[in-house]
Amino acid sequence: MTELSWTRKDLLGIADLSAAEIQLLLDTAESFREVSLRPIKKVPTLRGRTVVNLFFEPSTRTRSSFEIAEKRLSADSLNFSSATSGLVKGESLVDTALNLQAMSPDLIVIRHGHPGVPHMLAKRVAAGVINAGDGAHEHPTQALLDAFTIRQHKGGFEGLKVSIVGDIEHSRVVRSNVLLLHKLGAEVTVAGPRTMMPVGVEALGARAVYSLREALEGADVVMMLRVQLERQSQAAFPSAREYFELFGLTQARLKAAKRDVILMHPGPMNRGIEIASDVADGRYSVILEQVANGVAVRMAVLYLLSGVHREAE
Amino acid sequence: MERLLIQGGRLVDPGQGVDDRLDILIEDGRVERIGKGLKAGRGGETVEAEGLIVAPGLIDMHVHLREPGQEYKETIESGTRAAAAGGFTAVACMPNTQPPNDSRPVTEAILKEANRHGYARVYPIGAISKGQKGERLAEVGEMVRAGVVAISDDGWPVMSPELMRSALLYAQHFGVPVIQHAEDLGLGADGVMHEGEWSARLGLPGLPGAAEDLMVARDILLLEQTGGRYHVAHLSTARSLELVREGKSRDLGLTCEVTPHHLLLTDREVADSDFSTQTKMKPPLRSESDRLALIAGLQDGTVDAIASDHAPHHADEKDVEFSAAPFGIVGLETTLALGLDRLVRADLVSLYRLVELLSTGPARALGIEGGRLAPGDVADVTLFDTEPRRMVSPKRFQSRSRNTPFLGWRLRGRPVATFLAGRRVELS
Ligand SMILES: [Zn+2]
């Protein structure tokens, strides 16, 4: 393994990380993947450590992935979500942070609808803070698990053509993925309707195109995003039917990509809107591998942020 | 007879085109003479201004004093103390109080409270519409008689073109300008920062520059038909500035102000400060090209005034998620030092031009007394020193609020004293 050692207290976004740090996270995840293949899927690494999962937004996928990762590391976890009333209505975020701090957890995993909330929390608590998605800003563990999956299939990132298709403007998955893949040398293309492309998209480090065909052509990796038409402003797109017609992924359209293309989706999928069922379940799809890899990647993140690797030195 | 001599300073007075070492003799609140080697005479008092700049009292034409209704953020007393501490002898306060200043009794109450304290002159700006609801005209005539010097629905734009046209026409009966918070709420109204490269990176909803440009363009088209006076508050984009420049070339009754923060900061600050809510205001911090255009506007005379848009908020209100935080920052106690250090010392504008932007310009835009110290003029005077270095330290603010993005900035130049009608303002 690499010589570099992890020194950050928090994982707030890919924007802060160097390529070497990203590789370290991916290498560490590799060693944790093996744990999930054992009959007894548990190691004592984080025994006696407390992890708080703080979800201000509903999320089954990311939250359960973190919970499983914590259990497999033998950490004590504590779940607060807006749904289970653990988070008091009207309490300010600062008060929540102070209350958490008083319980002195080791790590806090936070999902929030507003960009920058994990950053705000990180400044006020001694615990390491892991951003599990902040509004449309970043979702670093998703980008890491996507990269991990890509690396498994493609070996590396240099010169790799990755296309991300969908509602680019409102996606935290896009921001983290573009940043990460760009740092590791991939050529990233983002595609979607012009009304769902943020002004200033070039700043992210991706090429923007506005046709699905152009995005798919010669792609090594295709990542489809969930499109929530009901969340769009009325001016952004007329109907799901028209969306599928223009940007929905079908078997026939996917032929424009490389023969060994892999197809990814961060989930949850809207079958028949951004992706046809036969493609989602077809032979190019690595969607379920992404889910499995999510656990290994989150174990790696929890492990490195907990600092136990440093105590062992 | 009360007599005061301000002696030995450098008088910078764009109101009468003067920049020279001159004494000012003040009698009974008005300038009696300016000249060299003047004497206070028997019973007169002398203020030694050697090494200092003597300027017509600075005027901040866009502040929010929050009283009545939100005294936990600011009061007329604390806000005018902040003004005096920042070198201002006058402020024009926006009507978005609770209740809004949309009628004579509110105007009178504001003026009564201001006069009771006497730290700075307060020029109330009345609402354009009743309740600032954007529907029916407020009783502008009544308010002007009570002391209002301009009308504005600031806090909100006047969205209805019908109402704006009426306001531009009706205000002419009373000779007051119409001040617009230029923002078309039909475009990107859920935004929290400038729409551009940095909103794309941060995933925050954007406030497009075009929302401002649309409104400025619309209002200029109306102004062409109505005549009268129209002033763009806190102008922030390159395109809006161009529209104003073009309108002025046709001699429309058109003026505009810009804020220190739009001159000195950009949208990048939101990221660099890690989502600090002190970088959240409306209009938002714009792009670097907008910022440079505003500076060019200071230089070529398109911009009439620098105004702080002093918008106090309690620390608890600002200490929340970026998206949930209120818009606005305080400015009365940082504007002059920022101007002296980052505009004059940085060689972007002359000291003379800075005084024009902070005194003569706003007086003209509002059509009020001040902005000049010629014989017969009211003796509102600001003394400042361009040399001393000081760090922006909100703990020392006279304002009740401390929401500033300039915390910790090292600035050279500071106000020394203000005089209202020849009397020194004491803050003790
Ligand atoms: Zn405003």
Side-chain angles (χ1 to χ4, degrees):
Chain A
M1 280 230 301
T2 158
E3 289 299 307
L4 178 91
S5 121
W6 186 265
T7 53
R8 289 175 191 278
K9 167 180 163 288
D10 313 296
L11 177 65
L12 300 176
I14 301 295
D16 313 322
L17 302 181
S18 67
E21 286 174 301
I22 294 167
Q23 296 285 7
L24 171 66
L25 278 159
L26 298 179
D27 292 343
T28 312
E30 194 64 56
S31 60
F32 278 111
R33 195 169 72 96
E34 171 268 334
V35 176
S36 300
L37 305 173
R38 294 180 194 172
I40 295 173
K41 303 175 176 56
K42 203 158 180 154
V43 290
T45 319
L46 293 190
R47 185 179 290 155
R49 310 272 165 156
T50 310
V51 184
V52 173
N53 299 310
L54 196 56
F55 279 72
F56 290 86
E57 252 190 5
S59 149
T60 317
R61 210 163 279 258
T62 305
R63 201 190 63 206
S64 36
S65 180
F66 267 108
E67 281 180 36
I68 291 171
E70 289 152 18
K71 286 193 167 68
R72 290 190 181 163
L73 290 169
S74 308
D76 298 318
S77 37
L78 208 62
N79 297 311
F80 294 102
S81 70
S82 35
T84 63
S85 83
L87 297 168
V88 183
K89 265 214 175 88
E91 183 181 65
S92 81
L93 192 76
V94 173
D95 286 330
T96 306
L98 294 174
N99 275 289
L100 284 173
Q101 179 58 35
M103 294 184 243
S104 44
D106 297 284
L107 293 169
I108 298 172
V109 177
I110 179 168
R111 155 74 57 95
H112 199 286
H114 289 171
V117 169
H119 307 67
M120 191 179 164
L121 185 66
K123 280 183 202 147
R124 291 166 194 274
V125 297
V129 173
I130 298 167
N131 181 359
D134 61 328
H137 181 219
E138 282 230 43
H139 192 357
T141 58
Q142 177 71 42
L144 286 163
L145 76 88
D146 289 338
F148 188 79
T149 309
I150 293 171
R151 196 169 77 164
Q152 276 182 330
H153 285 269
K154 302 291 175 190
F157 301 90
E158 204 58 54
L160 207 65
K161 289 187 183 339
V162 182
S163 291
I164 309 177
V165 182
D167 177 358
I168 306 301
E169 182 167 13
H170 296 96
S171 173
R172 50 184 163 231
V173 175
V174 167
R175 286 182 177 76
S176 291
N177 258 301
V178 171
L179 289 167
L180 187 153
L181 294 166
H182 186 68
K183 284 181 187 199
L184 296 187
E187 289 170 26
V188 190
T189 299
V190 294
R194 289 179 185 272
T195 46
M196 297 182 185
M197 198 65 80
V199 169
V201 61
E202 309 76 26
L204 298 176
R207 176 179 73 119
V209 301
Y210 303 95
S211 95
L212 182 59
R213 167 143 197 116
E214 217 180 326
L216 295 177
E217 231 151 38
D220 296 290
V221 177
V222 172
M223 200 180 287
M224 301 302 290
L225 300 172
R226 176 177 173 80
V227 172
Q228 287 172 290
L229 290 175
E230 70 279 6
R231 273 171 68 174
Q232 296 290 334
S233 82
Q234 291 186 331
F237 219 82
S239 69
R241 194 172 67 163
E242 190 147 306
Y243 186 88
F244 186 73
E245 218 153 86
L246 284 173
F247 287 96
L249 188 63
T250 61
Q251 290 286 12
R253 287 171 173 174
L254 192 55
K255 288 206 172 76
K258 289 231 177 89
R259 285 170 62 113
D260 63 345
V261 68
I262 58 169
L263 171 64
M264 308 177 78
H265 194 300
M269 276 186 284
N270 277 317
R271 291 170 184 261
I273 297 183
E274 72 262 3
I275 192 166
S277 264
D278 55 344
V279 194
D281 306 327
R283 65 193 184 96
Y284 301 108
S285 170
V286 298
I287 295 171
L288 293 175
E289 286 172 47
Q290 287 174 269
V291 178
N293 289 336
V295 177
V297 161
R298 289 176 177 122
M299 285 170 82
V301 169
L302 290 161
Y303 166 72
L304 289 174
L305 259 65
S306 72
V308 293
H309 66 292
R310 263 171 297 170
E311 289 159 27
E313 276 159 15
Chain B
M1 194 162 65
E2 262 187 66
R3 217 183 285 128
L4 177 81
L5 180 69
I6 300 177
Q7 192 179 50
R10 171 179 162 196
L11 176 63
V12 178
D13 183 357
Q16 51 182 327
V18 163
D19 183 351
D20 198 0
R21 238 187 98 143
L22 291 169
D23 305 333
I24 306 178
L25 183 65
I26 298 163
E27 258 180 38
D28 287 338
R30 300 224 160 234
V31 177
E32 174 64 23
R33 285 173 65 191
I34 60 170
K36 291 188 194 276
L38 301 185
K39 299 269 180 292
R42 250 211 303 185
E45 192 195 331
T46 300
V47 172
E48 188 48 63
E50 183 74 41
L52 301 180
I53 308 295
V54 182
L58 306 187
I59 301 165
D60 191 334
M61 67 177 297
H62 190 146
V63 307
H64 298 269
L65 294 181
R66 304 300 189 205
E67 188 176 353
Q70 292 181 305
E71 289 82 359
Y72 68 97
K73 297 180 194 236
E74 194 80 286
T75 61
I76 290 167
E77 180 183 7
S78 66
T80 50
R81 284 179 71 92
F88 289 87
T89 56
V91 295
C93 61
M94 285 299 175
N96 60 334
T97 45
Q98 293 170 358
N101 182 13
D102 64 351
S103 60
R104 181 178 189 130
V106 184
T107 305
E108 284 172 349
I110 290 170
L111 283 171
K112 194 173 160 210
E113 181 65 9
N115 291 332
R116 195 162 79 79
H117 298 293
Y119 296 115
R121 287 181 204 279
V122 171
Y123 292 105
I125 294 169
I128 291 172
S129 63
K130 286 200 172 113
Q132 290 196 291
K133 289 201 173 82
E135 289 158 10
R136 304 191 52 195
L137 279 180
E139 288 170 320
V140 179
E142 282 272 295
M143 289 191 291
V144 170
R145 245 171 287 148
V148 147
V149 297
I151 54 172
S152 177
D153 270 355
D154 187 60
W156 293 273
V158 175
M159 283 295 290
S160 154
E162 184 82 52
L163 179 66
M164 179 48 85
R165 189 173 63 171
S166 294
L168 287 167
L169 290 167
Y170 193 61
Q172 292 176 53
H173 287 288
F174 315 102
V176 295
V178 177
I179 301 177
Q180 170 78 305
H181 167 121
E183 178 188 10
D184 188 332
L185 294 176
L187 185 65
D190 61 345
V192 296
M193 73 174 290
H194 175 61
E195 181 181 86
E197 171 181 352
W198 291 95
S199 66
R201 286 180 200 253
L202 298 176
L204 287 167
L207 290 158
E212 178 171 318
D213 309 337
L214 282 170
M215 201 51 115
V216 172
R218 181 202 79 176
D219 289 348
I220 290 176
L221 291 174
L222 292 172
L223 183 68
E224 286 169 8
Q225 296 180 356
T226 59
R229 285 156 68 202
Y230 171 80
H231 176 87
V232 185
H234 42 54
L235 184 144
S236 69
T237 72
R239 193 69 187 88
S240 293
L241 189 83
E242 232 176 275
L243 289 163
V244 169
R245 186 179 285 129
E246 189 277 333
K248 283 186 156 192
S249 75
R250 289 182 289 136
D251 285 330
L252 294 172
L254 183 57
T255 52
C256 71
E257 78 201 19
V258 298
T259 71
H261 45 281
H262 291 112
L263 290 166
L264 299 173
L265 299 172
T266 64
D267 53 349
R268 192 197 166 104
E269 198 65 20
V270 181
D272 287 351
S273 69
D274 235 358
F275 297 92
S276 164
T277 58
Q278 310 302 357
T279 62
K280 185 178 175 185
M281 67 289 285
K282 254 191 186 183
L285 298 174
R286 299 288 187 188
S287 70
E288 177 67 0
S289 57
D290 289 311
R291 188 184 81 82
L292 296 174
L294 298 188
I295 288 174
L298 298 184
Q299 293 164 341
D300 73 6
T302 306
V303 175
D304 296 277
I306 291 177
S308 71
D309 193 7
H310 180 82
H313 291 294
H314 194 274
D316 290 345
E317 296 172 300
K318 274 289 200 183
D319 206 1
V320 297
E321 302 90 309
F322 191 88
S323 315
F327 293 96
I329 56 169
V330 292
L332 277 168
E333 291 169 85
T334 47
T335 295
L336 178 61
L338 287 167
L340 289 172
D341 191 71
R342 301 299 160 108
L343 296 176
V344 176
R345 202 166 280 279
D347 250 346
L348 296 173
V349 299
S350 64
L351 182 62
Y352 183 87
R353 177 68 178 138
L354 181 69
V355 173
E356 184 171 53
L357 288 159
L358 288 173
S359 180
T360 316
R364 283 184 190 144
L366 288 173
I368 56 174
E369 238 189 337
R372 190 179 68 178
L373 291 172
D377 287 341
V378 67
D380 289 358
V381 184
T382 297
L383 294 192
F384 56 90
D385 190 339
T386 58
E387 294 305 318
R389 290 165 213 269
R390 190 157 64 153
M391 204 158 76
V392 176
S393 165
K395 267 182 268 172
R396 288 202 299 258
F397 282 178
Q398 296 289 333
S399 169
R400 283 204 173 175
S401 293
R402 291 164 181 185
N403 48 312
T404 173
F406 298 113
L407 174 129
W409 282 39
R410 291 177 177 285
L411 301 174
R412 209 161 159 193
R414 59 180 289 189
V416 172
T418 60
F419 297 82
L420 285 182
R423 290 206 177 152
R424 192 184 194 119
V425 174
E426 301 288 350
L427 279 180
S428 57

